[in-house]
Structure formats: C-alpha cells, structure tokens
Amino acid sequence: MTNPPDTPMSLADVDVRDLIRTFDLDPSGRLSGAAVARGRIGEIWRLDTPSGSWAVKQVGEVSPEELTEILEGARFQEAAVSAGVPAPAVRRATTGDLIGEVSGLRVRLVAWVEMDEPSPDVDPAAMGRLVAGLHRVPFDGSIGLDPWYADPVGEARWQEVVAALRGAHAPFADELDALRPEIAALEGLLGGAPRSLRTCHRDLWADNVRFTGDGSLCVFDFDNAGLAEPSQELAAVLVEYADADPARGSALRDAYEDAGGPGRVEQPTDFAMPIAQLLHILDEGCRRWLAATSVEDRADNEGWVREFLARPLTRSVIDTLLPA
C-alpha cells in the first residue's frame, strides 16, 4: 500500500511476512485488520500464529532517554517473567533487539493475554503476593529516581492552574480549588530520603494489573520501571486496591509480607509516591484540558481529572491504610 504524501505509516501498512521473519514466527501468522486496543499507550494490533498470539505495538519517535527507559523496562519484564511474576513474555527480534524494523516501521511484540477491563476490585491477597514477587525480582537497573514520583507540584502551580481553569470556565475548577488545602497538606509529606531503593514497576494502577481469562492477575506495561522505594510502591498499591477499606489494606499488606516483600508501610510519609504521582497526573490532566482544541479532547481530559476528584487521596484515607 502507498500512503498519500505526508501521511504517516502505520501498522496497517506492514508486510506481515516481514513482521514474521523479523521476529522468527510461524509463516502462517495473520495480523488483525485493525487496531484491537487504543489508549494513551497507543494502538495495539494482534498477530495470531499456530504457536501463540502476540500484541504488536508500533514504536514512534522517542527521545534517547525514553528509548533507554523502554529497553530497561523490557529487561525488567523479562527478569520478572523468569522469576515467576505473571506478566506477558517479551518477544525479541532475530537480532536480539527489543525493537524490530518492519516495512519501514519500528515495532515490538509481547505475548497476547486475554484480560478483563481494569478494576481496582481485585483479591487483595493476590495483589499483595504479586507485588511481593515484583519486589523480589533479581534485577540491577540503571533508571534512577524521577521527580514525578517524589516531588510536589507546588502551591504556586496550583494557584496558577485554578486561575486558568476558572478563566476557561472549567466545570471542575471549584472542586479542585476546594481541595487545595488538603493537597498542600499532602505535599507537606514529601521530601524525605528513601529508606531503600530497587527497580520497581512504578505504574501499578488498575489499568496495568488485570484479571486474565483464567481468573488470575497479570501485570504489564513496564515502560515506567525505575528506582523507587518498595515501601512507597506498596503504599501506592494500597491506595489503588484498598482505597479506604482497612480490611482490604490488612489483607493485602499481610499477603505481601508473607510472600517475602521487603517494603513496610508504617507512616504517612511512606505514601510519598502515590501523593506525588496522583497530583502530577491531576496537574497534567488540567494542563491538557486547558490545551484541548476540541470538545472530545476536553471531555477526555475532564474524565482524567475527575478520576481524582471523585476519589481523592486525603490524609484521612492514608490514616485508614496505616497499621493500627
């Protein structure tokens, strides 16, 4: 197929035979006629072969730093699979590279897994065991600490955001403004030195941990992996999967500890990762809403903002998730 001038190529233009050769797969494989999933991570296509199915993702233009993160995330994923963590297997090209050149495009493959829609309502004990397994994976990574998971957005920025939202008549501006005192108190918990560091997934929200067809859990999307404090990642998992339910929190924490997980959530400052991450996501959602040029884009980003407004992380929620 020949694209019109200035039309970027996509997986629809891939020669399937080239894809199969590049990744040494069965020659009778068939690629889906269109993307089977879309989202902020981009389009996913499906390649079916007699020996198994694969998720195919185009790798667009990325910076050298982003490429380093993608490559290390894949190595951490491979180490996790080898250690028995339920995650999709990575398929490398015949050259040994993660990313293969196929019909002029750069693509990568992981094993296809049938998954349910995202939901934080998972078995907390199973989630605790999964996170413990991740935190015990033998892996020495080079991706360091990231301000996204540790630094405050800052009061000056929140004042600027609320003013801009009010000026643009954002329907959620007053709700965000009402939360500013709580946000300031939460950001006051940030800034402490981590007790220990290891490579963590750093994105264990419900979008990336799903039930599979057999009812088990599977973790995927390791692209944000890097150094973090295991206790703080465990705190983020408690926020997502226990919410303000102390019984679910205890079940998750106990299963994590019984499975040998090294983290311990003992004080409010252990929640630094979810505080920083959620507030940066909230700030980014507001920024994107303000920059949106269509009704559809604004609705999409309003939904992103309202995920936090509908279920805000507060000091009260943190108190319910700490050990009695």
Side-chain angles (χ1 to χ4, degrees), residues 15-253:
D15 183 333
V16 179
R17 295 167 299 179
D18 191 12
L19 176 63
I20 286 168
R21 283 193 300 268
T22 300
F23 288 91
D24 192 25
L25 294 167
D26 191 288
S28 61
R30 296 173 61 87
L31 187 65
S32 57
V36 295
R38 290 182 175 86
R40 299 188 199 280
I41 62 172
E43 291 186 344
I44 302 294
W45 291 53
R46 176 169 174 159
L47 177 67
D48 291 312
T49 76
S51 57
S53 297
W54 303 90
V56 184
K57 180 182 177 183
Q58 181 178 345
V59 179
E61 292 299 320
V62 294
S63 68
E65 293 78 12
E66 290 170 325
L67 179 59
T68 298
E69 292 172 358
I70 290 171
L71 297 177
E72 180 153 310
R75 292 198 300 113
F76 182 44
Q77 183 170 347
E78 289 171 322
V81 171
S82 295
V85 174
V90 175
R91 182 77 179 191
R92 289 184 175 268
T94 55
T95 58
D97 295 322
L98 174 70
I99 299 169
E101 190 81 20
V102 179
S103 303
L105 295 178
R106 298 190 303 165
V107 301
R108 54 188 291 202
L109 272 63
V110 297
W112 182 268
V113 179
E114 294 289 348
M115 292 179 290
D116 292 349
E117 291 298 308
S119 170
D121 188 23
V122 303
D123 176 15
M127 190 67 204
R129 290 190 291 270
L130 185 152
V131 180
L134 276 171
H135 287 175
R136 297 179 64 199
V137 173
F139 184 81
D140 293 322
S142 61
I143 302 299
L145 295 169
D146 190 312
W148 183 268
Y149 307 100
D151 291 356
V153 173
E155 176 58 23
R157 170 60 184 164
W158 289 120
Q159 290 179 6
E160 175 188 322
V161 167
V162 169
L165 290 171
R166 283 204 165 122
H169 306 291
F172 51 84
D174 288 344
E175 295 171 70
L176 177 59
D177 193 29
L179 278 173
R180 276 174 53 200
E182 186 63 35
I183 288 172
L186 289 173
E187 292 195 328
L189 298 173
L190 305 180
R195 297 196 295 267
S196 64
L197 291 172
R198 63 155 293 116
T199 296
C200 293
H201 185 282
R202 300 200 305 194
D203 201 13
L204 292 174
W205 306 109
D207 282 347
N208 294 329
V209 183
R210 309 268 192 100
F211 284 117
T212 65
D214 64 3
S216 61
L217 291 178
C218 181
V219 58
F220 58 102
D221 195 355
F222 284 67
D223 288 355
N224 292 316
L227 288 182
E229 182 180 333
S231 299
Q232 293 187 13
E233 180 158 76
L234 176 59
V237 169
L238 287 168
V239 168
E240 178 75 338
Y241 299 96
D243 194 8
D245 186 335
R248 285 182 61 86
S250 293
L252 194 157
R253 194 167 43 242

Side-chain angles (χ1 to χ4, degrees), residues 254-294:
D254 290 348
Y256 174 89
E257 294 179 13
D258 290 345
R264 296 294 182 269
V265 176
E266 300 170 336
Q267 52 198 1
T269 51
D270 290 331
F271 286 80
M273 178 189 281
I275 290 169
Q277 193 172 7
L278 287 172
L279 293 180
H280 279 290
I281 291 171
L282 176 62
D283 177 42
E284 180 68 8
C286 293
R287 186 192 68 78
R288 292 190 181 200
W289 188 92
L290 289 163
T293 57
S294 70

